[in-house]
């Protein structure tokens, strides 16, 4: 079993910054893709940013130029630096990881979510 623990959410004014962090632990052989998703009230969960083990990146158009995703493969962590935040960024942010365990089984895991609220 694998656990993802997030931290770093909170309340910030528009134009401000926040940094989200996520640490994976448990029966991990390697992690392929790590990423962040978000879900605003009344809306579907959407992709924010992804990063592969090799460092390939993918961002939602709405966050390009404002958010930066990074990871530490040795520590099984992923971070999301969010700058110039807008009220539309308000959502619960979820960490996601595609994990290969020691039995060569791939599974998808989610964190518990962390609230980000941007006031206007």
């Amino acid at each position: 079993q694998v656990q993802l623990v997030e931290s770093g959410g909170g309340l910030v004014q528009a134009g401000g910054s926040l940094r989200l962090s996520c640490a994976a632990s448990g029966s991990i052989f390697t992690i392929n893709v790590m990423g962040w998703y978000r879900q605003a009230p009344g809306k579907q969960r959407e992709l924010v940013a992804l990063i592969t083990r090799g460092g390939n990146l993918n961002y939602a158009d709405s966050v390009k130029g404002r958010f930066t995703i990074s990871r530490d493969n040795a520590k099984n962590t992923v971070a999301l630096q969010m700058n110039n935040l807008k009220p539309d960024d308000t959502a619960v942010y979820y960490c996601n990881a595609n994990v290969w365990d020691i039995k060569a089984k791939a599974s998808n895991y989610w964190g518990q979510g962390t609230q980000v609220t941007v006031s206007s």
Side-chain angles (χ1 to χ4, degrees):
Q1 192 69 6
V2 173
Q3 297 80 40
L4 301 181
V5 178
E6 301 141 341
S7 60
L11 173 64
V12 65
Q13 288 187 333
S17 298
L18 284 174
R19 184 177 178 84
L20 304 182
S21 298
C22 173
S25 62
S27 301
I28 299 170
F29 176 69
T30 189
I31 302 178
N32 181 18
V33 181
M34 301 189 81
W36 292 92
Y37 290 73
R38 67 187 181 186
Q39 187 167 18
K43 295 186 177 181
Q44 290 188 330
R45 190 173 298 189
E46 63 176 4
L47 169 69
V48 176
L50 293 175
I51 182 168
T52 69
R53 184 171 182 82
N56 292 321
L57 307 174
N58 186 25
Y59 291 99
D61 288 342
S62 60
V63 307
K64 284 180 180 177
R66 301 187 297 121
F67 291 10
T68 302
I69 189 171
S70 60
R71 67 185 282 176
D72 184 327
N73 291 333
K75 297 181 179 179
N76 291 328
T77 59
V78 63
L80 184 69
Q81 178 65 42
M82 304 185 293
N83 297 329
N84 191 21
L85 282 159
K86 303 176 181 180
D88 284 349
D89 295 319
T90 296
V92 178
Y93 284 69
Y94 296 92
C95 176
N96 177 269
N98 183 259
V99 179
W100 287 84
D101 65 20
I102 58 176
K103 298 182 179 180
K105 176 184 176 183
S107 300
N108 205 38
Y109 293 93
W110 293 93
Q112 79 283 3
T114 185
Q115 177 70 46
V116 172
T117 302
V118 184
S119 62
S120 57

